[in-house]
Amino acid sequence: MSEALAALLRQGVLAEEYPAVRALLAELSDEELVRAGRLLARVDPAAVLAAHPGTPAPVIAVTGHGTLSALIPALTVELARHGLLARLHQGDFDGWVFDLVDPASGLYAARPDFALCVLDPAVVEDELPLPWRVADVERVLTEKLDLVERAAEVFAGAAEGATLVLNTLPLPRSLAAQLLDLGSRSRLGVVWREANARLLRLAERGSGVVTVDLDPLLAGGVAAQDVRQSVYAKAHLSDGLLTAYAREVGQLARRTAGGVKKVLALDLDDTVWGGVLGEVGAEGIEVAGGYRGEAFRRFQRVVRQLASQGVLLAAVSKNDREPVVKTLRDHPELTLREPDFVQIRANWRPKHENLVELGADLNLAPDSFVFVDDSAFECGLVRRELPGVAVVRVGEEPALHVERLLREGWFDVPELTSEDLARPARYREERARRDFLHTFDSLDGYLRELDLSVAVGPAEAAQFGRVSQLTLRTNQFNLTTERLGSAEVRALVEDPAARVLTVAAGDRFGDHGLVGAVLLRREAEVLHIENFLLSCRVFSRGIEQAVLHAVLRHAFEDGAAEVRAVYRRSAKNGKVADFYPRAGFETVEADDAAAVFRYAAGPLPAPAGHIRLTAHFGEETP
């Protein structure tokens, strides 16, 4: 496939064919991805955007202490793997302090979405006296981390909405080994790890800082340093480590662009357990005993751990349904059980068709899914038929299943919320709602008996994370697809001209939780709806109409002369393009990318009669 990229580049059409690049990269090895990155780094991002203006293209500023030339192609290919286009700005060698502390620097002029401050152990080693002691290392580390914290403060003020990416520092053996007494070596380890802990704690503050912990990457077998490159070229982190770091950044960019997955759809035979159930029976599958059985049990434990944090599990297996359900229910050694799955689809139909139907049942788009299978054929078919699905081929060696599943961080989120933990139970309740629907002849009758209640109110501090998550993960009913972190939500709440409203819902089957948000801004006599978001779990029940009615009514009671709302088109929110016009808004201006609507004071659209709505907007007029 890297040959296909090279051919496109030679033909001068790689920019025009950029949407095809993601599929070309999907099955490349690590070595092939390195070569592909070098090819893609030669493509002008402006040419890609001219041909495909809707391509998500985050600006990434790169600064640091040492030589980082290997990072540029690695970032380029990692973002391309996720359908993103990297627009890269690289600072001068060892220019990180100037780049980040001076708001007039070229880094800030680039208006980055992400700024990568890549630090390495030499930032400390280069400033040690000779001879040196552990106290000298501690002093230099403290000085450098004080600078980092100062840089983070400046960045937060000068690059609002952007993310500063830091990293921990590997402790070189060549540094520790210069201390001859073991006590000093131990003290050095303590001092170094305390400095890394300080870097990690910066990310806990929720102030637009992410710290990539390099220790897990190193524990995976990546070399921290190539000594010759470090000495001769001042490249103090190895190419392999920079590549692994770029993968972490690519995942971060994907999440920020709304690429978090929600459903883990698992094949069963030779994926969850060893053997083919239809051939060996429940008593013959490998699930615990023996070395292979232990590998499958390890995989099941990890899957269950993911499910405990809100990942929805589904089984998609080419098997007869009855023995599959019986095995999941009764096998004494299985870790994963029938109740762990929101759905079990065991039949002989193509798996991509099952995934489409599963998505329809869960009201989730295919790009919310991660599909895991050991079969190259099944993985290739799903990848071809459903390009938005993330496909993980675990292969024939079960000991590697866990690493292959976790490699891309498909389900990672900035923070875990109570809504995440409740998600599996709420989707099971949704199945009960669908069964209830089937007992009615009309949707209106179903909605009347559903006993739906909706509460609208100002966002509270404990809800900032969930509101942020809605902006990051909601793609269909998201009128602008603007992504916000928790700190940005807090800033909006604290802005006297703005208001952040949350939408919670429940019905006879249970509590839906916080399912939506409305972002408002008052300017004189005009109230602007800056965004409106609603979870796909509660589509088509009248909630959006009820909330909009409440917002309009309050706006006019509060003295607004008109309400304006904006819609910005994305690849996934086309179904709500006419949401405001259907509610009676007039079009002020519109083109292929966006539209502005207005609603003048006057009669309001009728509220949904089947919803019990309570609305509280706070006391102060925005």
Side-chain angles (χ1 to χ4, degrees), residues 402-478:
V402 168
E403 283 65 30
R404 287 170 176 157
L405 171 63
L406 300 179
R407 174 184 171 97
E408 300 295 343
W410 292 115
F411 303 103
D412 294 355
V413 293
E415 59 182 301
L416 204 63
T417 70
S418 59
E419 299 293 328
D420 292 313
L421 301 178
R423 185 178 299 111
R426 286 178 175 151
Y427 272 92
R428 294 186 187 97
E429 291 169 359
E430 191 59 30
R431 187 64 181 262
R433 291 183 184 94
R434 285 196 301 274
D435 293 341
F436 184 59
L437 170 62
H438 294 154
T439 67
F440 288 85
D441 294 329
S442 70
L443 179 61
D444 288 342
Y446 163 72
L447 291 175
R448 283 195 301 271
E449 294 299 319
L450 193 56
D451 191 24
L452 187 60
S453 62
V454 175
V456 178
E460 300 177 354
Q463 299 171 319
F464 295 168
R466 172 57 178 165
V467 173
S468 167
Q469 189 178 82
L470 281 169
T471 72
L472 293 171
R473 300 180 68 161
T474 302
N475 293 309
Q476 297 179 68
F477 199 107
N478 185 336

Side-chain angles (χ1 to χ4, degrees), residues 84-100:
L84 308 176
L85 174 68
R87 290 185 288 169
L88 297 166
H89 167 86
Q90 188 171 9
D92 294 333
F93 176 84
D94 195 21
W96 67 277
V97 176
F98 171 78
D99 285 342
L100 288 170

Side-chain angles (χ1 to χ4, degrees), residues 454-457 550-551 553 613-617:
V454 175
V456 178
V551 169
R553 183 181 62 191
L613 176 74
T614 58
H616 169 57
F617 290 82

Side-chain angles (χ1 to χ4, degrees), residues 169-418:
L169 303 177
L171 174 58
R173 186 184 184 281
S174 59
L175 183 67
Q178 295 177 45
L179 295 170
L180 302 184
D181 67 289
L182 300 184
S184 293
R185 288 188 189 178
S186 296
R187 176 60 186 161
L188 176 64
V190 170
V191 166
W192 202 274
R193 287 167 178 81
E194 286 177 346
N196 279 335
R198 184 175 167 187
L199 284 166
L200 292 167
R201 279 194 291 270
L202 271 175
E204 290 182 341
R205 300 178 184 177
S207 55
V209 176
V210 171
T211 302
V212 176
D213 189 352
L214 298 186
D215 278 358
L217 307 182
L218 298 171
V222 178
Q225 184 184 67
D226 180 310
V227 174
R228 289 177 298 178
Q229 286 188 353
S230 178
V231 173
Y232 297 142
K234 306 303 180 185
H236 302 302
L237 300 178
S238 72
D239 288 358
L241 183 54
L242 289 177
T243 297
Y245 168 86
R247 182 175 298 117
E248 299 289 316
V249 175
Q251 294 168 15
L252 173 62
R254 182 196 71 225
R255 292 194 295 272
T256 305
V260 177
K261 306 298 183 180
K262 300 176 182 178
V263 183
L264 177 56
L266 296 166
D267 169 53
L268 296 177
D269 293 338
D270 287 321
T271 298
V272 169
W273 55 60
V276 177
L277 180 64
E279 296 178 358
V280 302
E283 66 281 358
I285 60 174
E286 300 169 292
V287 292
Y291 70 93
R292 279 175 54 87
E294 288 300 320
F296 286 110
R297 180 164 67 175
R298 174 175 177 251
F299 180 71
Q300 291 182 46
R301 286 178 60 86
V302 169
V303 168
R304 197 167 186 184
Q305 169 67 14
L306 297 180
S308 74
Q309 299 167 86
V311 175
L312 303 176
L313 301 185
V316 181
S317 174
K318 284 189 174 176
N319 266 305
D320 292 327
R321 178 176 173 81
E322 183 179 350
V324 166
V325 173
K326 181 173 173 39
T327 299
L328 289 170
R329 184 181 298 154
D330 299 335
H331 197 293
E333 295 182 310
L334 275 174
T335 300
L336 286 175
R337 294 292 185 178
E338 181 188 10
D340 293 317
F341 295 90
V342 293
Q343 279 203 33
I344 298 170
R345 288 188 167 262
N347 53 52
W348 297 97
R349 296 170 54 215
K351 292 189 177 181
H352 67 273
E353 293 182 3
N354 277 296
L355 290 173
V356 169
E357 293 180 0
L358 178 60
D361 282 352
L362 298 177
N363 206 6
L364 292 171
D367 59 9
S368 297
F369 284 72
V370 174
F371 171 68
V372 180
D373 203 308
D374 66 296
S375 164
F377 170 79
E378 298 289 357
C379 289
L381 186 59
V382 169
R383 187 178 284 118
R384 186 189 72 190
E385 297 295 327
L386 299 174
V389 173
V391 177
V392 177
R393 186 188 171 210
V394 289
E396 299 177 358
E397 175 49 77
L400 300 178
H401 280 16
V402 168
E403 283 65 30
R404 287 170 176 157
L405 171 63
L406 300 179
R407 174 184 171 97
E408 300 295 343
W410 292 115
F411 303 103
D412 294 355
V413 293
E415 59 182 301
L416 204 63
T417 70
S418 59

Side-chain angles (χ1 to χ4, degrees), residues 418-616:
S418 59
E419 299 293 328
D420 292 313
L421 301 178
R423 185 178 299 111
R426 286 178 175 151
Y427 272 92
R428 294 186 187 97
E429 291 169 359
E430 191 59 30
R431 187 64 181 262
R433 291 183 184 94
R434 285 196 301 274
D435 293 341
F436 184 59
L437 170 62
H438 294 154
T439 67
F440 288 85
D441 294 329
S442 70
L443 179 61
D444 288 342
Y446 163 72
L447 291 175
R448 283 195 301 271
E449 294 299 319
L450 193 56
D451 191 24
L452 187 60
S453 62
V454 175
V456 178
E460 300 177 354
Q463 299 171 319
F464 295 168
R466 172 57 178 165
V467 173
S468 167
Q469 189 178 82
L470 281 169
T471 72
L472 293 171
R473 300 180 68 161
T474 302
N475 293 309
Q476 297 179 68
F477 199 107
N478 185 336
L479 273 296
T480 68
T481 64
E482 181 181 2
R483 313 298 181 179
L484 301 175
S486 295
E488 293 165 284
V489 174
R490 179 184 298 276
L492 283 175
V493 170
E494 294 173 351
D495 184 343
R499 179 166 288 147
V500 179
L501 300 177
T502 61
V503 181
D507 59 30
R508 64 185 297 165
F509 291 100
D511 180 16
H512 289 292
L514 201 164
V515 294
V518 185
L519 309 184
L520 306 174
R521 181 172 296 277
R522 182 71 176 262
E523 294 180 352
E525 295 184 347
V526 179
L527 180 70
H528 296 268
I529 303 178
E530 296 193 325
N531 203 2
F532 193 154
L533 309 107
L534 195 66
S535 169
C536 54
R537 284 191 290 117
V538 293
F539 281 178
S540 304
R541 297 176 195 179
I543 293 175
E544 56 269 42
Q545 290 85 1
V547 172
L548 183 59
H549 178 274
V551 169
L552 291 173
R553 183 181 62 191
H554 179 266
F556 297 134
E557 289 176 351
D558 203 35
E562 67 177 48
V563 175
R564 292 208 171 200
V566 64
Y567 165 74
R568 297 190 188 96
R569 185 177 297 278
S570 75
K572 301 172 185 176
N573 71 353
K575 68 186 298 180
V576 296
D578 63 345
F579 172 66
Y580 290 120
R582 282 190 289 109
F585 281 68
E586 301 173 354
T587 301
V588 176
E589 56 182 284
D591 56 29
D592 291 340
V596 177
F597 307 99
R598 67 184 292 271
Y599 197 105
L604 298 180
H610 61 276
I611 292 177
R612 291 182 290 109
L613 176 74
T614 58
H616 169 57

